[in-house]
Amino acid sequence: MKNGGRLQGRVAVVTGAAQGIGAQYARALAAEGASVVVSDVLDAGPVAAQINEGGGRALAVACDVTDAQAVLAMVNAAVARFGRLDILVNNAALFGTVSRKRFEDITSAEWDRMMSVNVRGAFECVKAVVPAMRERKYGKIVNIASGTVFKGQTMLLHYVTSKGAIVAMSRSLARELGDDGIRVNTLAPGLVMSENVRSNWSADKVRGTVDSRAIKREALPEDMCGTLIYLCSSESDFVTGQVLVVDGGAVMH
């Protein structure tokens, strides 16, 4: 891990970080010097152990982002362990294992579950971290949306709608939290070849996405990390309420 990295001395929480893109986010933040709370409903211990064994600082915390008390306990654990909280990456979401289907075949229960995890989960995490950030008059919140918001993806209406809500939420939060020195931005990835996507998306669907890009290759989790580090670092201190799409030029936003 870097001594004197761009996030040296900062403390970050990454939700949904036990695997896939979230795990890569956690590793990237640690590589830039941040102490990282690796949070998930799944076992985040292996990711935290990897960071610690590599010379970084990480703490695994089990947390369901739809449970307000569990989220508050996660934040308290972060502050108790590392003494402060500077960065939240709201990554936890349902996507990789979600079945693609026509909108009329999405059940009300499926819709409600998607909104509970993807939208209310992000809301609960922001509510929980803001007091610690307000104390220092500084913070970075990066909400993870999706390039599908700007394309109008078929067969995933509940997912795309939830990520549209994240964009709107981020803009409103940026207005509310600006006077507190807290920046709120949105990272919107295109289709990224995480383990779950590779397992659940057909080659034809992936190829169609790649063909829509100006840079015609598959996106990997590490492709998202340069933008994430920028949004979490002091380099973006005058940037808030913005959406950065990272998808190889499928969306030119």
Side-chain angles (χ1 to χ4, degrees):
M1 303 303 167
K2 290 183 182 178
N3 291 321
R6 284 179 286 175
L7 302 175
Q8 194 68 40
R10 304 295 190 192
V11 176
V13 168
V14 184
T15 65
Q19 62 181 356
I21 306 174
Q24 189 62 36
Y25 289 157
R27 289 189 288 263
L29 291 165
E32 286 292 339
S35 300
V36 183
V37 175
V38 186
S39 170
D40 208 307
V41 290
L42 304 176
D43 181 11
V47 175
Q50 181 186 37
I51 291 170
N52 288 323
E53 289 162 7
R57 300 177 73 205
L59 172 68
V61 178
C63 181
D64 176 353
V65 295
T66 67
D67 181 339
Q69 292 304 310
V71 172
L72 186 59
M74 172 190 67
V75 170
N76 289 340
V79 175
R81 175 69 174 271
F82 298 121
R84 58 191 288 169
L85 206 165
D86 307 282
I87 297 162
L88 168 66
V89 181
N90 256 327
N91 173 69
L94 302 178
F95 173 65
T97 59
V98 173
S99 298
R100 294 167 54 87
K101 58 180 69 175
R102 296 184 63 85
F103 83 91
E104 60 264 38
D105 295 327
I106 297 170
T107 67
S108 298
E110 287 174 313
W111 183 275
D112 288 348
R113 176 64 176 159
M114 184 71 73
M115 297 304 156
S116 179
V117 176
N118 292 17
V119 184
R120 190 168 61 77
F123 164 72
E124 299 288 4
C125 290
V126 171
K127 277 207 300 183
V129 304
V130 160
M133 293 180 177
R134 277 191 175 129
E135 282 184 14
R136 295 180 175 274
K137 298 294 287 184
Y138 187 83
K140 295 297 185 84
I141 296 172
V142 181
N143 294 322
I144 307 300
S146 168
T148 59
V149 171
F150 306 101
K151 296 169 71 175
Q153 179 68 50
T154 60
M155 308 293 281
L156 284 168
L157 183 66
H158 49 347
Y159 172 77
V160 179
T161 302
S162 75
K163 291 305 185 178
I166 289 295
V167 173
M169 181 192 300
S170 300
R171 288 171 173 162
S172 293
L173 285 169
R175 297 279 184 194
E176 287 203 37
L177 295 173
D179 287 343
D180 297 304
I182 301 170
R183 289 77 168 170
V184 186
N185 291 293
T186 306
L187 170 58
L191 183 67
V192 178
M193 302 309 293
S194 65
E195 297 99 317
N196 282 331
V197 169
R198 289 192 185 280
S199 299
N200 292 285
W201 282 64
S202 70
D204 286 346
K205 292 296 182 187
V206 173
R207 190 177 307 112
T209 298
V210 170
D211 287 345
S212 74
R213 294 171 173 160
I215 300 170
K216 291 181 172 56
R217 67 165 175 83
E218 292 181 355
L220 302 174
E222 49 266 39
D223 288 319
M224 306 300 115
C225 291
T227 302
L228 178 75
I229 297 302
Y230 164 72
L231 291 174
C232 292
S233 76
S234 60
E235 294 167 12
S236 60
D237 276 357
F238 201 54
V239 178
T240 196
Q242 304 305 311
V243 184
L244 273 168
V245 180
V246 184
D247 71 349
V251 170
M252 297 191 179
H253 170 67

